Amino acid sequence: MDYVKYQDIGLITSPIAIANRNQLSNLVYIISAISKNIYFITGNAGSNILEKDSKIHTYLIRYNIKNNLFLKVVAHVALQLKISYKFIQINRKAKTWIFFMDLELYYSLYSLQNS
């Protein structure tokens, strides 16, 4: 049975640990089956998920875990700013965005209307 691929989809995740790669790669695999292109903002262990697939465009965000509470807060704010900056740069490439942060779906879907 033939079906039409959906528009380009963007996926934003926070940088993940190695233990979470399987869940994230399964999500990317499902999205890639229904989308022409995926614009994928992630980091750390998520950086090379399906890197050989030409329709998955990966943008890396590095995050180092800090021990000090103050440094953790500063690093997390910096992480959010980096993700936001990259999102602003590429948000017009995908019409629909999925925010999958800390492996919980905070925002189910965010649709962008390109003008």
Side-chain angles (χ1 to χ4, degrees), residues 6-10 35-39 93-97:
Y6 294 100
Q7 75 266 359
D8 297 337
I9 295 175
S35 176
K36 293 178 184 173
N37 288 297
I38 297 176
Y39 296 93
K93 292 184 178 186
K95 216 170 183 178
T96 302
W97 284 88

Side-chain angles (χ1 to χ4, degrees), residues 60-73:
L60 303 178
I61 305 292
R62 296 282 178 221
Y63 180 72
N64 296 320
I65 298 171
K66 307 292 182 189
N67 292 330
N68 180 302
L69 180 62
F70 176 74
L71 293 178
K72 282 182 183 181
V73 171

Side-chain angles (χ1 to χ4, degrees), residues 29-110:
Y29 178 76
I30 291 167
I31 293 172
S32 69
I34 62 171
S35 176
K36 293 178 184 173
N37 288 297
I38 297 176
Y39 296 93
F40 185 36
I41 300 174
T42 190
N44 293 0
S47 63
N48 60 357
I49 292 176
L50 303 173
E51 63 185 0
K52 294 178 180 150
D53 193 334
S54 63
K55 69 180 189 173
I56 299 175
H57 310 278
T58 305
Y59 301 90
L60 303 178
I61 305 292
R62 296 282 178 221
Y63 180 72
N64 296 320
I65 298 171
K66 307 292 182 189
N67 292 330
N68 180 302
L69 180 62
F70 176 74
L71 293 178
K72 282 182 183 181
V73 171
V74 170
H76 192 73
V77 169
L79 171 67
Q80 295 300 317
L81 290 172
K82 289 177 190 176
I83 291 172
S84 298
Y85 179 71
K86 186 54 71 179
F87 175 70
I88 289 169
Q89 286 181 319
I90 67 170
N91 70 8
R92 296 205 185 269
K93 292 184 178 186
K95 216 170 183 178
T96 302
W97 284 88
I98 300 171
F99 294 82
F100 198 70
M101 305 297 286
D102 298 325
L103 294 181
E104 295 176 13
L105 204 52
Y106 285 124
Y107 306 102
S108 57
L109 290 174
Y110 178 74

